[in-house]
Amino acid sequence: MDELSMSTDTVSLIDVAGYLPENIVAADYFAQYADPDEVTSNLMFKAPKFRRHIAPGEKPADMAERAVAPILERQGRNVLRDIDVLIVHTQLPEIAIVGNGGEVAARLGISPEWLIDLHNGGCASFVYGMKLARQILLSTDARSALVVTVQNAAGQIFTQEQVRGKAQAAIPGDGAGAGLLVKSGASPILDIETRHLPEFAGQMTVIADPPRRYWEAGAGEMHVGFTESKIAKVLQRGNRLVPEVAEAVCKRIGVTSPELDLLVTNQPNRAFLRNWRDALQLPPERHPDTFDDCGNLFGAGIPVTFDRAVDEGRVPAGALVMFAGFAHAGDFAGAAAVRWGGR
């Protein structure tokens, strides 16, 4: 990595990779269980054609390792020796209290000085992880960072007997993404905007019937507690927040949104995707869409979608890329601009 580490005042996102489980699940799977009382025309729950579900027994560390593997193939496993920062977001942590970051580090054979389980970034956790990693790299002698995001709830929560008939169950898919950041000017991160809106932090709730707290024993299976009023508010916030944070970054780096070569967002539903690119005045070909193939990948959506766009030859070296997303009920949003250095 020495040839990439010439700059100490710039951090680059030099590689991104994604992993999708092999198990492809069509919308028909959920249609057969659909509860008539749960049928909705709401834009939040227009199901994708397909999504992936994790395999039985597949763990977050398995998914993380598979997401990182293509980066190691391209960059060489020696890059792991320089990983001083590991930031892991897991949608459904399987290790109580601690989280899965330590298990991911052990699987990769690294012992980073900075090991962070990032629980509150949600669908924008990749951007949040980039910001944290960038700040650590710029303010310490840390050499490089891995940001890993794992979505593993689709095949475990949303296929449960009491949940799979709900309209919300058909939307998520499973997958994982990873990004490698180094002190370098090769693929520079130009600017990052993050916004916390803590007044909305308690609005994305999980509930069961009969009611209980998520950690209490009980018969009811947990699902997201959506109401019509809550859905309307989430749609309104999401439509506003993602263009706002992207425009804030554009302003600081001196461009207008139509000048972006690529907009890569989280992939919650078709309505958000359409509204975001319209607000930022971008054509569909500059806003990659993986929703119909992968469903809502939550925090893994941004790296998986970008990885696919790069593989498809849609991101030449020098392209100005904007990553943007919002989380949960709108309590967090972030955007990051990168002058992509090529793969």
Side-chain angles (χ1 to χ4, degrees), residues 37 44 60 84 94 116 148 152 163 180 182 184-185 187 201 250 263 279 281 289 309 328:
D37 293 335
M44 281 278 285
D84 297 311
E94 291 196 357
I116 300 171
V148 180
N152 59 331
V163 182
L180 176 64
V182 303
S184 159
S187 186
C250 285
L263 170 68
Q281 304 176 65
D289 180 349
H328 312 123

mmCIF file of all heavy atoms in Angstrom, residues 37 44 60 84 94 116 148 152 163 180 182 184-185 187 201 250 263 279 281 289 309 328:
data_model
loop_
_atom_site.group_PDB
_atom_site.id
_atom_site.type_symbol
_atom_site.label_atom_id
_atom_site.label_comp_id
_atom_site.label_asym_id
_atom_site.label_seq_id
_atom_site.Cartn_x
_atom_site.Cartn_y
_atom_site.Cartn_z
ATOM 1 N N ASP A 37 -55.717 -8.459 5.541
ATOM 2 C CA ASP A 37 -55.761 -7.244 6.344
ATOM 3 C C ASP A 37 -54.488 -6.416 6.206
ATOM 4 O O ASP A 37 -54.448 -5.252 6.615
ATOM 5 C CB ASP A 37 -55.966 -7.590 7.825
ATOM 6 C CG ASP A 37 -57.337 -8.198 8.081
ATOM 7 O OD1 ASP A 37 -58.262 -7.925 7.290
ATOM 8 O OD2 ASP A 37 -57.468 -8.957 9.069
ATOM 9 N N MET A 44 -44.667 2.677 0.218
ATOM 10 C CA MET A 44 -43.581 2.108 1.022
ATOM 11 C C MET A 44 -43.458 0.601 0.812
ATOM 12 O O MET A 44 -42.394 0.020 0.993
ATOM 13 C CB MET A 44 -43.836 2.383 2.504
ATOM 14 C CG MET A 44 -43.476 3.775 2.965
ATOM 15 S SD MET A 44 -41.722 3.979 3.328
ATOM 16 C CE MET A 44 -41.599 3.106 4.891
ATOM 17 N N PRO A 60 -23.330 -13.079 10.462
ATOM 18 C CA PRO A 60 -22.845 -11.772 9.990
ATOM 19 C C PRO A 60 -21.363 -11.780 9.637
ATOM 20 O O PRO A 60 -20.951 -11.149 8.653
ATOM 21 C CB PRO A 60 -23.124 -10.845 11.179
ATOM 22 C CG PRO A 60 -24.284 -11.466 11.869
ATOM 23 C CD PRO A 60 -24.090 -12.946 11.730
ATOM 24 N N ASP A 84 -6.026 -0.329 10.656
ATOM 25 C CA ASP A 84 -6.049 0.132 12.040
ATOM 26 C C ASP A 84 -7.461 0.501 12.489
ATOM 27 O O ASP A 84 -7.682 0.720 13.686
ATOM 28 C CB ASP A 84 -5.145 1.350 12.206
ATOM 29 C CG ASP A 84 -3.684 1.033 11.924
ATOM 30 O OD1 ASP A 84 -3.185 0.036 12.479
ATOM 31 O OD2 ASP A 84 -3.058 1.770 11.143
ATOM 32 N N GLU A 94 -25.908 -10.637 16.017
ATOM 33 C CA GLU A 94 -26.172 -11.946 16.586
ATOM 34 C C GLU A 94 -25.425 -12.179 17.892
ATOM 35 O O GLU A 94 -25.707 -13.140 18.604
ATOM 36 C CB GLU A 94 -25.828 -13.046 15.573
ATOM 37 C CG GLU A 94 -26.778 -13.062 14.390
ATOM 38 C CD GLU A 94 -26.702 -14.344 13.599
ATOM 39 O OE1 GLU A 94 -25.869 -15.205 13.937
ATOM 40 O OE2 GLU A 94 -27.496 -14.497 12.646
ATOM 41 N N ILE A 116 -15.149 -0.462 15.889
ATOM 42 C CA ILE A 116 -16.407 0.201 16.231
ATOM 43 C C ILE A 116 -17.581 -0.596 15.683
ATOM 44 O O ILE A 116 -17.642 -0.872 14.477
ATOM 45 C CB ILE A 116 -16.443 1.632 15.655
ATOM 46 C CG1 ILE A 116 -15.287 2.460 16.232
ATOM 47 C CG2 ILE A 116 -17.791 2.291 15.946
ATOM 48 C CD1 ILE A 116 -15.108 3.808 15.550
ATOM 49 N N VAL A 148 -17.644 -1.955 6.946
ATOM 50 C CA VAL A 148 -18.416 -3.126 6.544
ATOM 51 C C VAL A 148 -19.857 -2.963 7.014
ATOM 52 O O VAL A 148 -20.106 -2.630 8.174
ATOM 53 C CB VAL A 148 -17.821 -4.419 7.139
ATOM 54 C CG1 VAL A 148 -18.639 -5.633 6.701
ATOM 55 C CG2 VAL A 148 -16.359 -4.584 6.728
ATOM 56 N N ASN A 152 -28.901 -8.596 7.432
ATOM 57 C CA ASN A 152 -29.168 -10.024 7.599
ATOM 58 C C ASN A 152 -30.537 -10.292 8.204
ATOM 59 O O ASN A 152 -30.794 -11.379 8.720
ATOM 60 C CB ASN A 152 -28.092 -10.646 8.493
ATOM 61 C CG ASN A 152 -28.040 -10.000 9.875
ATOM 62 O OD1 ASN A 152 -28.370 -8.832 10.046
ATOM 63 N ND2 ASN A 152 -27.604 -10.750 10.866
ATOM 64 N N VAL A 163 -44.854 -12.964 10.601
ATOM 65 C CA VAL A 163 -44.377 -11.730 9.961
ATOM 66 C C VAL A 163 -44.482 -11.793 8.439
ATOM 67 O O VAL A 163 -44.789 -10.802 7.781
ATOM 68 C CB VAL A 163 -42.910 -11.441 10.372
ATOM 69 C CG1 VAL A 163 -42.423 -10.128 9.752
ATOM 70 C CG2 VAL A 163 -42.788 -11.385 11.886
ATOM 71 N N LEU A 180 -12.798 0.120 1.424
ATOM 72 C CA LEU A 180 -11.426 0.283 1.918
ATOM 73 C C LEU A 180 -11.015 1.740 1.776
ATOM 74 O O LEU A 180 -11.054 2.296 0.676
ATOM 75 C CB LEU A 180 -10.471 -0.619 1.133
ATOM 76 C CG LEU A 180 -8.973 -0.494 1.471
ATOM 77 C CD1 LEU A 180 -8.691 -0.916 2.910
ATOM 78 C CD2 LEU A 180 -8.144 -1.343 0.494
ATOM 79 N N VAL A 182 -7.975 4.665 2.621
ATOM 80 C CA VAL A 182 -6.559 4.846 2.935
ATOM 81 C C VAL A 182 -6.208 6.318 2.862
ATOM 82 O O VAL A 182 -6.922 7.124 2.251
ATOM 83 C CB VAL A 182 -5.652 4.054 1.967
ATOM 84 C CG1 VAL A 182 -5.984 2.577 1.974
ATOM 85 C CG2 VAL A 182 -5.752 4.617 0.553
ATOM 86 N N SER A 184 -4.551 8.818 1.083
ATOM 87 C CA SER A 184 -4.110 8.820 -0.305
ATOM 88 C C SER A 184 -4.935 9.835 -1.073
ATOM 89 O O SER A 184 -6.039 10.202 -0.662
ATOM 90 C CB SER A 184 -4.299 7.416 -0.920
ATOM 91 O OG SER A 184 -4.341 7.466 -2.330
ATOM 92 N N GLY A 185 -4.406 10.289 -2.193
ATOM 93 C CA GLY A 185 -5.168 11.148 -3.084
ATOM 94 C C GLY A 185 -5.672 10.410 -4.304
ATOM 95 O O GLY A 185 -6.128 11.025 -5.261
ATOM 96 N N SER A 187 -8.318 8.331 -4.825
ATOM 97 C CA SER A 187 -9.767 8.307 -5.052
ATOM 98 C C SER A 187 -10.407 9.111 -3.918
ATOM 99 O O SER A 187 -11.096 8.574 -3.062
ATOM 100 C CB SER A 187 -10.274 6.860 -5.064
ATOM 101 O OG SER A 187 -11.633 6.783 -5.410
ATOM 102 N N ALA A 201 -35.695 9.573 16.664
ATOM 103 C CA ALA A 201 -34.945 8.343 16.884
ATOM 104 C C ALA A 201 -35.790 7.221 17.473
ATOM 105 O O ALA A 201 -35.489 6.056 17.273
ATOM 106 C CB ALA A 201 -33.746 8.616 17.792
ATOM 107 N N CYS A 250 -22.744 19.134 -2.433
ATOM 108 C CA CYS A 250 -22.512 19.765 -3.738
ATOM 109 C C CYS A 250 -22.101 21.223 -3.579
ATOM 110 O O CYS A 250 -21.163 21.704 -4.241
ATOM 111 C CB CYS A 250 -23.775 19.680 -4.600
ATOM 112 S SG CYS A 250 -24.113 18.053 -5.305
ATOM 113 N N LEU A 263 -25.190 9.102 -8.756
ATOM 114 C CA LEU A 263 -25.812 9.209 -7.438
ATOM 115 C C LEU A 263 -26.095 7.790 -6.956
ATOM 116 O O LEU A 263 -26.831 7.055 -7.616
ATOM 117 C CB LEU A 263 -27.114 10.013 -7.516
ATOM 118 C CG LEU A 263 -27.990 10.009 -6.263
ATOM 119 C CD1 LEU A 263 -27.311 10.761 -5.118
ATOM 120 C CD2 LEU A 263 -29.365 10.600 -6.559
ATOM 121 N N ALA A 279 -35.480 15.275 -7.679
ATOM 122 C CA ALA A 279 -35.116 16.444 -6.882
ATOM 123 C C ALA A 279 -33.704 16.917 -7.199
ATOM 124 O O ALA A 279 -33.430 18.129 -7.171
ATOM 125 C CB ALA A 279 -35.240 16.118 -5.392
ATOM 126 N N GLN A 281 -32.250 16.397 -10.104
ATOM 127 C CA GLN A 281 -32.211 16.646 -11.555
ATOM 128 C C GLN A 281 -31.226 15.727 -12.268
ATOM 129 O O GLN A 281 -30.384 16.158 -13.054
ATOM 130 C CB GLN A 281 -31.852 18.109 -11.832
ATOM 131 C CG GLN A 281 -32.787 19.108 -11.163
ATOM 132 C CD GLN A 281 -32.342 20.533 -11.374
ATOM 133 O OE1 GLN A 281 -32.333 21.032 -12.507
ATOM 134 N NE2 GLN A 281 -31.958 21.202 -10.297
ATOM 135 N N ASP A 289 -30.061 1.472 -9.769
ATOM 136 C CA ASP A 289 -31.238 0.964 -9.072
ATOM 137 C C ASP A 289 -31.115 -0.553 -8.960
ATOM 138 O O ASP A 289 -31.131 -1.263 -9.969
ATOM 139 C CB ASP A 289 -32.489 1.347 -9.868
ATOM 140 C CG ASP A 289 -33.785 0.862 -9.248
ATOM 141 O OD1 ASP A 289 -33.735 0.055 -8.320
ATOM 142 O OD2 ASP A 289 -34.850 1.297 -9.726
ATOM 143 N N ALA A 309 -22.501 -1.124 -10.097
ATOM 144 C CA ALA A 309 -22.332 -0.100 -11.130
ATOM 145 C C ALA A 309 -20.904 -0.094 -11.666
ATOM 146 O O ALA A 309 -20.677 0.067 -12.882
ATOM 147 C CB ALA A 309 -22.693 1.276 -10.567
ATOM 148 N N HIS A 328 -33.817 4.719 9.157
ATOM 149 C CA HIS A 328 -34.922 4.480 10.078
ATOM 150 C C HIS A 328 -36.127 5.356 9.725
ATOM 151 O O HIS A 328 -36.545 5.398 8.569
ATOM 152 C CB HIS A 328 -34.451 4.699 11.516
ATOM 153 C CG HIS A 328 -33.168 4.002 11.832
ATOM 154 N ND1 HIS A 328 -32.058 4.659 12.285
ATOM 155 C CD2 HIS A 328 -32.819 2.693 11.724
ATOM 156 C CE1 HIS A 328 -31.070 3.805 12.474
ATOM 157 N NE2 HIS A 328 -31.506 2.597 12.123
#
